Amino acid sequence: MIIEIFIAAILIVVTTYWVKNDFARVFWPKFTVERRFQHLTLAVLVVITLLWSLRAGILAGLDIHFLALTALAMMYGWKTAFVLTLPINIMLTLLGIDHTALQPSNLLISNLIPLVTSYLIFMASHRWLARNIFVFIFVCGFINGAITGSLHLAISAAYLSLTEQYHWQVIYDNYLIFIVLMLFPEGLLNGMALAMLSVFKPEWLRVFSDRDYIYHHSQKD
C-alpha cells in the first residue's frame, strides 16, 4: 500500500511540474484579464464538483459518479484541465464527501489517467479520421467519454484489488459490474456537452477549429 502511494505521489509531482508551463502561459494570462473566461471556468468547476458529489454505491470506496473529464480536456487541454481538477478535489475533501480525493493514487487514477486518455483519443481521431464536426462530436465526445469512463472504473477496480481493500468478487459485484450501466450515460454527458459547445460556443473548446472540422473535409493532412 505504501509503495503504491509513493509511486503515485512521484507521478503526480512530475506531472504537476510538467503541466505548470501550459497553465501559466496559456490559461492564467487569459483568466486574469477576461471576466467572461473567469465566469466560465468557475461555472465549470462548480458543475463538475456537483457531478462528483452525486455518488452511488453500497460500500465505502466503491461508489461511482460521472466524470465529465473528456469535455474538460477538450475545453482546456489535458494539462490545464488536470490543474483545474485539483480545487475540485480540495472542495470534496473539505466538504467531507471524499476523504481520499487528495490522495496521490486517487489523483492519478481519477484525474490524470482519464484526462490523458481523453486527449489521446482526440489526437488519434484528429490524425486518422475524417475531420468534420460530426466525427468530433461522436468520436471525441460520445465514444471518447464512454471509453474513458469505462477505463476509469476498470483501473480503479484493479487498484482496489491489488491493494487488497476488498476481495475481487466483492469489487466485481459492487463496482466493476457498473461499467455497462455507466458506459452510455458518461458518453452521452460528454457528447452532448461537446455538441452544444461546438455549435453555440466553439471558442470555448481549445481543441476545436472551424477550419479543421467545418471547412476541412480531407481524410488526412
Side-chain angles (χ1 to χ4, degrees), residues 41-59:
T41 301
L42 293 176
V44 168
L45 294 182
V46 169
V47 170
I48 295 181
T49 300
L50 291 175
L51 283 174
W52 289 13
S53 301
L54 301 174
R55 298 165 178 249
I58 301 175
L59 301 175

Side-chain angles (χ1 to χ4, degrees), residues 116-160:
V116 173
T117 301
S118 295
Y119 204 75
L120 287 176
I121 293 175
F122 157 73
M123 290 179 63
S125 169
H126 188 267
R127 176 64 180 85
W128 287 301
L129 298 181
R131 296 179 187 175
N132 62 66
I133 191 170
F134 299 106
V135 170
F136 178 77
I137 292 172
F138 285 102
V139 176
C140 300
F142 285 96
I143 296 177
N144 194 353
I147 293 175
T148 299
S150 301
L151 184 63
H152 167 252
L153 290 178
I155 294 176
S156 298
Y159 175 77
L160 291 169

Side-chain angles (χ1 to χ4, degrees), residues 16-187:
T16 303
Y17 179 80
W18 187 23
V19 304
K20 70 176 184 178
N21 287 336
D22 182 78
F23 182 83
R25 295 177 181 177
V26 178
F27 172 83
W28 190 248
K30 184 177 182 179
F31 183 79
T32 54
V33 298
E34 295 187 19
R35 188 174 297 273
R36 289 187 177 181
F37 188 63
Q38 294 173 4
H39 294 165
L40 168 65
T41 301
L42 293 176
V44 168
L45 294 182
V46 169
V47 170
I48 295 181
T49 300
L50 291 175
L51 283 174
W52 289 13
S53 301
L54 301 174
R55 298 165 178 249
I58 301 175
L59 301 175
L62 296 181
D63 46 2
I64 60 174
H65 61 82
F66 290 113
L67 291 178
L69 290 180
T70 295
L72 188 68
M74 299 300 103
M75 292 180 68
Y76 295 95
W78 76 267
K79 295 179 181 179
T80 294
F82 174 71
V83 178
L84 292 178
T85 60
L86 300 181
I88 299 175
N89 289 83
I90 293 173
M91 185 60 65
L92 293 176
T93 302
L94 294 176
L95 294 175
I97 297 173
D98 187 355
H99 297 292
T100 66
L102 290 175
Q103 289 185 2
S105 57
N106 185 74
L107 294 175
L108 177 65
I109 296 173
S110 298
N111 296 31
L112 182 59
I113 292 179
L115 287 169
V116 173
T117 301
S118 295
Y119 204 75
L120 287 176
I121 293 175
F122 157 73
M123 290 179 63
S125 169
H126 188 267
R127 176 64 180 85
W128 287 301
L129 298 181
R131 296 179 187 175
N132 62 66
I133 191 170
F134 299 106
V135 170
F136 178 77
I137 292 172
F138 285 102
V139 176
C140 300
F142 285 96
I143 296 177
N144 194 353
I147 293 175
T148 299
S150 301
L151 184 63
H152 167 252
L153 290 178
I155 294 176
S156 298
Y159 175 77
L160 291 169
S161 178
L162 289 173
T163 55
E164 299 181 347
Q165 298 184 39
Y166 289 102
H167 189 273
W168 173 251
Q169 193 61 45
V170 175
I171 297 173
Y172 177 82
D173 293 336
N174 294 276
Y175 188 77
L176 194 59
I177 197 172
F178 288 108
I179 284 182
V180 178
L181 296 178
M182 292 295 292
L183 186 70
F184 180 76
E186 184 71 37

